[in-house]
Amino acid sequence: MADASAGNNAGSTSSAEVQIQIPAGPPKAEPGAPSKNSGAKNWRWWMMVSVDVFFVVAGQTSATLLGRYYYHQGGSSKWISTFVQTAGFPILFLALLCFPKSSGGGGASGDAPVAKVAVIYVVLGLVIAADDMMYASGLKYLPVSTYSLICASQLAFNVVFSYVLNSQKLTGLIFNAVILLTLSDALLGVNHDETEDMSGMPRGKYLMGFLLTLGASGTYSLILSLMQLTFENVIKKHTYTAVLNMQIYTALVATVASMVGLFASGEWRMMTEEMDTFRSGQFSYFMTLVWTAVSWQITSVGVVGLVFEVSSLFSNVISTVSLPIVPLFAVLIFHDTMDGIKIIAMLIAAWGFVSYLMQHFIDDKKARKAERVG
């Protein structure tokens, strides 16, 4: 799922990005006020960020591997794979209970029109369903290591949509990241045998999986940008609850849309047969789907937590930390090949990731300095 948050302070500076900024770092005491509790607040902030990072990395890694395991063991329904990506959204209601409604920076500037917000949730939910479908198809047709590397291109798309929709300045580091991530994907796109890959997948389906995964990564970045615009121009609430509501209701729409697709396509009739022919058994089939859904929602909780505690850009960047992790597990579990071109593509993508992270660090440092001066 995509994430979004609203912000003040540094979020209104010239370094506009495809995210809704919130104050970075632990809460600061008022000037001249006693700071005897600042140590405890800092410790709590770092603990929360660490837990959220773990949720994002572990949740996304396990969800991707379980999604591939479903296909590897004989599953074939793309609509079922799409459905489980958002079907676990009721778990997010637990997160709503854990945090007070008043938490979050800034105040609300009036209630947004319910009808307008509902329409936006429906549109975003349908886009998310389409995005999940592309991800599910890409995972079906690609080795999971290749799939994971292509997904890193969401950072490059993030820059493009930020430049077009949010007037972000293209610095040298950001431009370097875009070029490197594009080159990494280009290497993966041409690194394929003329007829089939090691798993026997025809070249046409490999290319289809490549294009669908690339399209899904771009759509994910577009979703982030659209959510930002919604928070800034329509919802205008800077609270954790508002972010979670966005996650929950768009996931609800996406889940309903994927259910409609499941029944309209007739793939629901395959579930009994899939269960019976699943190589590791019926119970394993059921648990694979359940834990895939749970893993995606654990990821969502971590994503929302990082948006709230740091920023949505940081959350988006952390989601690519699994880049070198998933391919390694894929080699061990699914015996994916890790040839020289794929290793080079992974290193180039990691270089692009570091360039992107460095720009975020520089922007954050400037914002903090400006805040101190002000």
Side-chain angles (χ1 to χ4, degrees):
M1 284 291 294
D3 62 280
S5 177
N8 38 38
N9 298 339
S12 59
T13 65
S14 60
S15 180
E17 289 153 333
V18 177
Q19 91 257 17
I20 300 165
Q21 301 256 8
I22 64 171
K28 300 178 177 63
E30 293 293 330
S35 57
K36 62 180 181 179
N37 293 326
S38 61
K41 288 181 179 180
N42 289 345
W43 178 85
R44 178 189 174 279
W45 184 84
W46 280 111
M47 182 183 69
M48 289 295 294
V49 169
S50 299
V51 170
D52 289 334
V53 167
F54 174 78
F55 279 178
V56 172
V57 175
Q60 184 167 276
T61 301
S62 59
T64 302
L65 293 173
L66 284 169
R68 184 58 195 169
Y69 181 79
Y70 165 76
Y71 291 126
H72 189 264
Q73 294 296 306
S76 60
S77 173
K78 290 177 286 188
W79 281 111
I80 291 176
S81 184
T82 301
F83 172 77
V84 297
Q85 291 184 54
T86 53
F89 73 89
I91 294 174
L92 296 178
F93 284 108
L94 296 177
L96 277 177
L97 297 176
C98 293
F99 293 90
K101 290 185 178 181
S102 59
S103 63
S109 59
D111 293 330
V114 175
K116 182 182 290 187
V117 172
V119 170
I120 291 172
Y121 283 170
V122 169
V123 172
L124 283 175
L126 293 176
V127 175
I128 289 170
D131 189 45
D132 290 344
M133 182 60 172
M134 288 190 285
Y135 273 129
S137 300
L139 193 55
K140 181 177 183 178
Y141 296 137
L142 293 175
V144 68
S145 54
T146 304
Y147 167 89
S148 176
L149 291 173
I150 296 172
C151 286
S153 64
Q154 71 186 43
L155 289 176
F157 284 113
N158 192 27
V159 172
V160 172
F161 286 119
S162 177
Y163 177 77
V164 173
L165 299 177
N166 301 88
S167 302
Q168 178 183 344
K169 294 180 180 178
L170 286 179
T171 66
L173 285 172
I174 289 181
F175 187 73
N176 183 58
V178 173
I179 295 298
L180 291 172
L181 291 168
T182 303
L183 178 60
S184 174
D185 284 346
L187 284 173
L188 294 173
V190 300
N191 181 38
H192 192 263
D193 187 80
E194 268 211 68
T195 55
E196 59 183 9
D197 64 8
M198 295 299 292
S199 64
M201 185 66 67
R203 178 174 174 80
K205 289 189 176 180
Y206 177 94
L207 291 176
M208 181 185 297
F210 175 86
L211 293 174
L212 287 172
T213 305
L214 198 62
S217 298
T219 305
Y220 177 80
S221 295
L222 176 61
I223 289 168
L224 289 180
S225 182
L226 293 175
M227 285 186 168
Q228 174 186 356
L229 294 175
T230 299
F231 271 98
E232 288 180 338
N233 300 323
V234 181
I235 295 178
K236 300 178 181 178
K237 276 190 177 180
H238 309 160
T239 64
Y240 190 89
T241 303
V243 176
L244 275 176
N245 282 334
M246 172 74 82
Q247 293 276 97
I248 289 170
Y249 293 116
T250 54
L252 171 61
V253 174
T255 302
V256 172
S258 59
M259 284 186 66
V260 171
L262 178 63
F263 283 94
S265 66
E267 289 188 3
W268 64 275
R269 299 188 186 94
M270 300 166 46
M271 293 187 68
T272 302
E273 181 183 349
E274 272 193 355
M275 242 189 265
D276 294 336
T277 59
F278 205 65
R279 295 192 187 103
S280 51
Q282 293 184 357
F283 180 74
S284 176
Y285 176 83
F286 176 73
M287 294 305 293
T288 298
L289 297 182
V290 168
W291 284 107
T292 301
V294 170
S295 295
W296 279 122
Q297 295 314 308
I298 288 175
T299 305
S300 293
V301 170
V303 163
V304 172
L306 288 177
V307 168
F308 182 70
E309 297 288 349
V310 190
S311 75
S312 60
L313 174 62
F314 183 76
S315 179
N316 193 14
V317 170
I318 289 298
S319 70
T320 65
V321 169
S322 59
L323 167 67
I325 300 175
V326 174
L328 295 178
F329 277 106
V331 171
L332 295 174
I333 299 173
F334 303 114
H335 308 293
D336 279 9
T337 57
M338 187 60 75
D339 55 24
I341 295 295
K342 193 177 290 186
I343 292 174
I344 292 172
M346 184 172 71
L347 293 175
I348 291 174
W351 183 7
F353 164 76
V354 171
S355 295
Y356 202 85
L357 193 61
M358 280 297 298
Q359 185 61 54
H360 173 64
F361 173 78
I362 292 171
D363 290 343
D364 182 67
K365 189 175 181 180
K366 288 181 179 177
R368 287 174 181 271
K369 185 177 180 180
E371 189 176 304
R372 284 196 301 268
V373 171

